[in-house]
Every structure is written in C-alpha cells, then in structure tokens.
Amino acid sequence: QVQLVESGGGLVQAGGSLRLSCAASGSIFSIGTMGWYRQAPGKQRELVATITSGGTTNYADSVKGRFTISRDNAKNTVALQMNSLKPEDTAVYYCNARICARVLDCDNYWGQGTQVTVSS
C-alpha cells in the first residue's frame, strides 16, 4: 500500500517563507512525476508545481520566481520551498505522485493535505 505524507505547513506572515515536504512510502517500484497542488476555500484545486523523475519542472504563473520544487529520487521525497509568500497563497496544499507498485501497475496518489496560511 502506497502512502504520501506531507509536512511543513503552518502560519506565516506575508513575505515570509515555508518549506513543504512529502514522502512516499509502501510498495514502490518507481515514481514518475511528483507535484504540489493547492485548494483555497470555495475554489477548485489548482496545480502549483510539478517535477518529473528527470528533474524537469513546471510552475503555475502565480508562483514562478517565488516557489521552488525539488525531489530526492533515492528517498522518494518531494519538497516545495515557498518564499515571498502572499495572503493569496493561503490554501490546503496537496502532494501528488504517479507511483508504480510494479511494472505497468501505476496509479495517481494524493497526500492528506497540509494547511498553509499567510497573514497580511
């Protein structure tokens, strides 16, 4: 059974920084693209950033230049460094990963979510 466990959310003032981490565990053969999504109250879940197994990154326009996604393939982890945070970054942040438990047995997994609150 595969699990994604996030950590690192919290309350921060505008302009501050937070680092989110996510670790995958369980029966893992390989991990493809990993990413972070967020959902603010009353809004749809949206992509924040993704990173492929080869290290290619993709960011939402709203976070470019402020957020950095990284991963450690040996440890099955992905992190999101968030700098210059704004009140509009307030949301529940979810880790996502495409994980194969065995060859051709792959699925999309989500973490439980971690709250990030940015005060003005």
Side-chain angles (χ1 to χ4, degrees), residues 3-112:
Q3 272 191 316
L4 293 176
V5 178
E6 299 129 337
S7 60
L11 173 64
V12 65
Q13 288 189 328
S17 298
L18 280 175
R19 183 177 177 85
L20 305 183
S21 297
C22 174
S25 63
S27 178
I28 298 172
F29 173 73
S30 66
I31 303 179
T33 298
M34 305 182 81
W36 291 92
Y37 292 71
R38 66 186 181 187
Q39 187 166 19
K43 294 188 177 182
Q44 288 189 327
R45 190 172 297 188
E46 63 176 5
L47 179 147
V48 176
T50 61
I51 183 168
T52 68
S53 56
T56 300
T57 58
N58 178 54
Y59 295 93
D61 288 343
S62 59
V63 307
K64 282 181 182 176
R66 300 188 298 122
F67 291 10
T68 301
I69 189 170
S70 60
R71 66 188 283 172
D72 186 329
N73 290 331
K75 296 181 179 179
N76 293 335
T77 59
V78 62
L80 185 69
Q81 178 66 42
M82 304 185 293
N83 299 327
S84 303
L85 282 160
K86 305 175 180 179
E88 50 263 44
D89 294 319
T90 295
V92 177
Y93 283 71
Y94 296 91
C95 176
N96 172 269
R98 180 75 174 172
I99 297 175
C100 300
R102 57 191 66 84
V103 176
L104 301 181
D105 182 9
C106 306
D107 209 342
N108 205 31
Y109 291 87
W110 292 91
Q112 79 283 1

